[in-house]
Amino acid sequence: MSNRKIDRVEGTAIPVRGDNIDTDRIIPARFLKAITFDGLGEHVFEDDRIAFSGHPFSNPAYAGARLLLVNENFGSGSSREHAPQALKRWGIAACVGESFSEIFKGNALAIGLVCVTTSNEVIDRLMDLVETAPTSRLALSLNHRSIDAGDSTVSVDVEAPVRDAFLSGTWDATGLLLDDFDVVRGVASRVPYIRGF
Amino acid sequence: MGKTLLKKVWDLHTVRQLSTGQAQLFIGLHLIHEVTTPQAFDMLRSRGIGVAFPDRTFGTTDHIIPTGDTSRPFQDPLAEAMLSALEKNCAEFDIPFWNLDSDRQGIVHVIGPELGLTQPGMTVACGDSHTSTHGALGAVALGVGTSQVRDVLASQSLAIDPLKVRRIAVNGELGRGVFAKDVVLEIIHRLGVNGGVGYAYEYGGTAVERMSIDERLTICNMSIEGGARVGYVNPDQTTFEYLKGRQFAPAGDAFDRAVSWWRSIASDTDADYDDVVEIDAAAIEPRVTWGINPGQSVAVSECIPSIGGGAQNGGVSEALAFMGLTGGERITGTKIDVAFVGSCTNSRLSDLREAGRIAKGRSVAPHVTALVVPGSRSVQFAAEEEGLDQVFRDAGFEWRNAGCSMCLAMNPDRLEGSQVCASSSNRNFKGRQGSPTGRTLLMSPAMVAAAAVAGEVTDVRGHFA
């Protein structure tokens, strides 16, 4: 199964400062009480936004942002895919951070939300830039592993296979996993607890 | 050089290397619940794909169910819709399902081991980050998101990045009043909430080897709080004795043959680890979190860190401001409003016994609301059989039906306003227990019971009869 190929993500960017921002904060559990992902976008960071009226996701200057700038271990905690779904439905197409939790990154990949990493210094500089001038446009290129930010270009990291999956449109794994399904059956038949002890 | 359990299990279950660089890993046991699956089934339907191995998937309901009045339809129409969707999906795709009226129902990470579904050498997946719990039996258990639940339903396999292995050896004797919960809080404090990213944690050492399966489940459960998606303990005699006679465990001669295979998949004594950490069990004290992530804990005898000091987990000032605590003050004496014994971390019979030992003959402080929520119907019945429900009721605790309850407050059990909760659960994130300004102090079940009685955080070691 082939999906949309993703190379460039261009647009304005929204900064959310802080390490270890967990998925309960990105989308509180009460919004998981639904049988679809519809409407999650409007509740992204809801409790943080109530607690802090100056939250970037409440700031009209960042409306329409396509890139999210974060610090370390973003998306830790609960495995809820609702977190990347909420960000994506709000309009985010790529997250640029110092690091991401593993489950968050896997969930993001599975729904075609790009996550790339870079150094603390670069993140800080990009955050400063868009805090000072929210209309600044950034252009992420997976192909070049870089972000153009005004008159400077910074490099970003992304695992080669993940980059390939986005570039080739194979980030939705279901098709790959179902390819030549007899091989899966073969594994099932050799596993002792299925074959029988 | 020998191999780790992770490597052996990984190799056995690898279907192929995918073009994405990930491995396609066969999943031996898939557990599902109502919160992370409805969209996965809808995706299957919209793509016209069926469930590949319905007999390797098992469902139950735990997150959204009330623990008081469980009559249907639920008062909360959203919760009712979620359970109805799971009922319909399990029926449509022939998936075994333990509903609310089943005596097998319970928190997915409690019933998997309890029924003998989880076994050594298996790969386990579930749309829940605390799937790491199942590693206590020597399984490789992975928490996944909804799209990956879809993938497991469709193909009984997952696309996944390889993991490194860090052995965490806890050696020596734990002191009285120090529990598995304290050990794992110590580990997370020491290695950090993102220290385990990219790793599976292998727990060993003499202290872990002496632990019961319940205690190992508590430790593996919170691997994810340390950033490690997978945590496991090598299977041993304790594991085999635990599994013997359980509903889904092999029986008769097959059990003996299973044991010899289970032994063979344990890490070799000369296994190659990417990292090794040693921890002295005797130095661990009962621990309490003071902040907004599970790495922010202190020993109960210690003071809350000051801003600028002990900042290894970062965000100290933000955490103290949210918690309304003052750096430099003792954690003991922190007043609580609610006490919660429950969650996939600490809701098994042995947890309830330890809490009951403290509660017995005492009374919950007048200003405290205290509740005990067993992890499963089976735990609930066993506890009632030995009179633990009465011990708790006599002390002023509410005795509830099984479920996830106030760990994440997707049911009616939740904090109000800025209440402070002494909790045996796993996460002290902002808003985790249902009120955006609610505050959580993580600790062992015995420490929760002691706090309930004292009305404030107190050292459980002073409360033994």
Side-chain angles (χ1 to χ4, degrees):
Chain A
M1 194 175 299
S2 177
N3 313 112
R4 194 165 52 87
K5 294 178 181 170
I6 302 172
D7 174 14
R8 291 176 72 80
V9 177
E10 296 182 50
T12 56
I14 178 169
V16 175
R17 289 187 186 268
D19 295 337
N20 305 315
I21 290 179
D22 56 76
T23 54
D24 275 81
R25 285 172 69 180
I26 300 170
I27 189 80
R30 61 183 182 278
F31 300 115
L32 275 51
K33 258 198 273 176
I35 55 172
T36 72
F37 291 126
D38 297 346
L40 282 177
E42 62 197 82
H43 299 297
V44 70
F45 286 111
E46 179 140 319
D47 289 345
D48 278 10
R49 289 160 64 188
I50 292 168
F52 173 51
S53 59
H55 194 281
F57 274 85
S58 299
N59 185 344
Y62 294 114
R66 301 267 293 150
L67 293 94
L68 171 65
L69 306 175
V70 296
N71 294 111
E72 261 194 53
N73 198 27
F74 183 78
S76 56
S78 158
S79 67
R80 61 190 69 165
E81 186 176 304
H82 305 67
Q85 287 277 4
L87 291 169
K88 192 178 173 193
R89 280 155 201 270
W90 188 86
I92 298 297
C95 303
V96 185
E98 288 174 59
S99 66
F100 296 91
S101 107
E102 225 161 294
I103 299 181
F104 179 87
K105 210 165 65 175
N107 286 339
L109 173 66
I111 65 170
L113 176 66
V114 174
C115 291
V116 298
T117 58
T118 184
S119 68
N120 172 270
E121 293 70 33
V122 169
I123 288 290
D124 219 41
R125 214 161 67 216
L126 291 174
M127 285 180 167
D128 284 348
L129 171 72
V130 303
E131 280 170 354
T132 316
T135 54
S136 307
R137 293 184 69 82
L138 307 187
L140 165 71
S141 164
L142 282 172
N143 194 24
H144 295 114
R145 293 193 179 89
S146 69
I147 294 176
D148 287 338
D151 34 9
S152 71
T153 299
V154 296
S155 63
V156 294
D157 293 320
V158 55
E159 296 93 330
V162 170
R163 172 174 165 263
D164 293 347
F166 282 120
L167 291 176
S168 61
T170 53
W171 42 268
D172 179 329
T174 313
L176 293 177
L177 296 173
L178 284 172
D179 197 31
D180 197 4
F181 198 67
D182 283 344
V183 186
V184 176
R185 293 192 197 287
V187 173
S189 67
R190 77 169 185 239
V191 172
Y193 56 83
I194 295 180
R195 194 186 57 210
F197 288 107
Chain B
M1 196 61 94
K3 290 180 181 171
T4 61
L5 176 144
L6 182 95
K7 170 86 175 134
K8 294 181 194 183
V9 173
W10 199 273
D11 288 349
L12 177 68
H13 292 81
T14 297
V15 175
R16 58 165 82 86
Q17 293 300 320
L18 297 171
S19 56
T20 58
Q22 296 173 303
Q24 179 174 359
L25 201 66
F26 181 80
I27 298 300
L29 173 66
H30 184 204
L31 301 168
I32 62 172
H33 60 79
E34 71 279 13
V35 174
T36 53
T37 58
Q39 299 91 339
F41 283 105
D42 283 345
M43 289 189 259
L44 285 189
R45 275 189 282 263
S46 74
R47 295 180 185 196
I49 303 173
V51 174
F53 288 75
D55 57 332
R56 305 305 303 174
T57 296
F58 297 85
T60 193
T61 177
D62 51 9
H63 282 64
I64 52 91
I65 53 173
T67 56
D69 175 10
T70 56
S71 58
R72 302 282 298 275
F74 298 143
Q75 283 179 9
D76 179 349
L78 298 173
E80 178 62 31
M82 296 192 86
L83 182 51
S84 300
L86 183 59
E87 287 168 337
K88 174 174 155 275
N89 288 328
C90 286
E92 180 179 335
F93 292 97
D94 284 326
I95 292 168
F97 174 52
W98 292 293
N99 208 340
L100 264 185
D101 57 2
S102 162
D103 59 7
R104 300 279 185 269
Q105 176 267 335
I107 304 177
V108 69
H109 309 310
V110 175
I111 68 167
E114 187 174 84
L115 294 170
L117 281 168
T118 311
Q119 295 170 19
M122 269 186 182
T123 45
V124 182
C126 175
D128 193 291
S129 62
H130 289 110
T131 306
S132 59
T133 312
H134 302 260
L137 290 144
V140 171
L142 298 146
V144 298
T146 298
S147 293
Q148 290 168 312
V149 169
R150 171 202 65 203
D151 288 348
V152 180
L153 290 169
S155 71
Q156 202 61 32
S157 58
L158 268 182
I160 190 158
D161 291 316
L163 292 168
K164 295 181 282 187
V165 183
R166 171 179 291 142
R167 179 170 167 84
I168 301 176
V170 188
N171 286 305
E173 295 261 1
L174 291 175
R176 188 167 191 220
V178 181
F179 300 95
K181 180 64 158 286
D182 303 305
V183 174
V184 72
L185 286 174
E186 171 83 21
I187 290 169
I188 299 163
H189 176 69
R190 207 176 295 186
L191 302 178
V193 289
N194 58 357
V197 174
Y199 283 95
Y201 278 177
E202 175 182 301
Y203 304 100
T206 54
V208 173
E209 285 161 14
R210 269 196 303 276
M211 283 182 183
S212 67
I213 294 298
D214 281 8
E215 291 171 290
R216 297 177 187 181
L217 288 162
T218 298
I219 292 192
C220 290
N221 173 273
M222 289 188 70
S223 301
I224 187 64
E225 271 64 53
R229 188 178 201 173
V230 164
Y232 68 89
V233 177
N234 282 304
D236 59 10
Q237 201 54 40
T238 304
T239 320
F240 312 143
E241 281 165 19
Y242 175 90
L243 282 168
K244 194 161 195 170
R246 293 190 186 259
Q247 187 182 347
F248 288 89
D253 293 347
F255 183 82
D256 298 331
R257 287 192 293 274
V259 166
S260 62
W261 183 67
W262 292 342
R263 279 189 207 285
S264 76
I265 55 98
S267 294
D268 298 324
T269 48
D270 61 344
D272 189 17
Y273 295 98
D274 298 286
D275 190 31
V276 177
V277 173
E278 297 206 21
I279 289 177
D280 175 15
I284 301 174
E285 287 191 71
R287 295 192 74 83
V288 182
T289 61
W290 53 267
I292 53 171
N293 74 51
Q296 292 173 322
S297 69
V298 286
V300 68
S301 65
E302 290 178 340
C303 294
I304 300 162
S306 303
I307 298 165
Q312 78 182 78
N313 294 300
V316 173
S317 57
E318 181 193 4
L320 291 178
F322 182 84
M323 296 299 291
L325 295 172
T326 308
E329 294 198 346
R330 295 209 164 276
I331 190 76
T332 50
T334 305
K335 283 202 55 160
I336 66 154
D337 306 295
V338 176
F340 172 59
V341 176
S343 87
C344 57
T345 313
N346 279 126
S347 63
R348 298 177 183 82
L349 186 59
S350 57
D351 298 315
L352 305 192
R353 283 179 182 154
E354 290 298 344
R357 203 190 303 277
I358 302 299
K360 188 169 180 143
R362 297 191 172 99
S363 296
V364 170
H367 68 278
V368 172
T369 302
L371 64 160
V372 181
V373 184
S376 69
R377 298 286 280 170
S378 164
V379 167
Q380 185 179 349
F381 297 150
E384 288 170 358
E385 183 81 11
E386 61 186 65
L388 273 172
D389 57 327
Q390 206 51 50
V391 167
F392 285 118
R393 283 201 182 98
D394 288 348
F397 287 81
E398 295 170 34
W399 178 255
R400 298 291 189 85
N401 294 307
C404 299
S405 180
M406 205 188 268
C407 173
L408 83 171
M410 286 189 74
N411 78 343
D413 308 330
R414 65 187 58 168
L415 298 184
E416 300 292 339
S418 301
Q419 283 182 322
V420 175
C421 180
S423 182
S424 72
S425 56
N426 42 57
R427 288 186 174 141
N428 52 342
F429 297 151
K430 286 181 178 178
R432 172 75 179 182
Q433 294 191 285
S435 165
T437 50
R439 296 168 285 175
T440 304
L441 306 170
L442 302 176
M443 58 190 84
S444 74
M447 283 281 287
V448 172
V453 168
E456 59 185 37
V457 174
T458 180
D459 189 339
V460 69
R461 293 171 296 185
H463 293 260
F464 288 112

